[in-house]
Amino acid sequence: MVRFLFSDVPVGSREWWLVIKTAQADVCDMDPGYDVSVTVSAALRPMVRIWRGDLGWSEALRTGALAVEGPERLRRALPDWFALPAVAAVPRPS
């Protein structure tokens, strides 16, 4: 399970969990009670930029825009767990 902690979001909406099983993922806004494998901490804007394809995981980590806690093998694998959505290919106005 991946725990997301958004530092700039009100306390009641700050934590989200992603439960990943083979070919299935569930997003939870309440702790589903599984052991957390990886915790991703960031402000909301950098996470949205990553999801949109405007910011790479490695750049976000390098600049401190996000932090990932957990075993090294899972921290390294984490970016591969997320496919970019179709909107990531849409050109942005400059």
Side-chain angles (χ1 to χ4, degrees), residues 39-55:
T39 298
V40 177
S41 302
L44 185 58
R45 181 169 296 244
M47 284 305 305
V48 170
R49 290 186 64 220
I50 290 169
W51 178 79
R52 288 175 38 140
D54 296 335
L55 177 64

Side-chain angles (χ1 to χ4, degrees), residues 15-81:
E15 293 182 276
W16 291 79
W17 292 265
L18 183 60
V19 180
I20 303 170
K21 297 180 181 178
T22 306
Q24 180 181 343
D26 291 316
V27 176
C28 303
D29 60 354
M30 293 180 59
D31 186 349
Y34 299 107
D35 290 337
V36 173
S37 301
V38 179
T39 298
V40 177
S41 302
L44 185 58
R45 181 169 296 244
M47 284 305 305
V48 170
R49 290 186 64 220
I50 290 169
W51 178 79
R52 288 175 38 140
D54 296 335
L55 177 64
W57 282 89
S58 58
E59 182 181 351
L61 287 165
R62 184 177 44 75
T63 62
L66 71 82
V68 180
E69 298 175 34
E72 183 178 355
R73 68 178 180 79
L74 296 179
R75 290 191 326 258
R76 290 183 181 273
L78 183 68
D80 296 332
W81 301 349

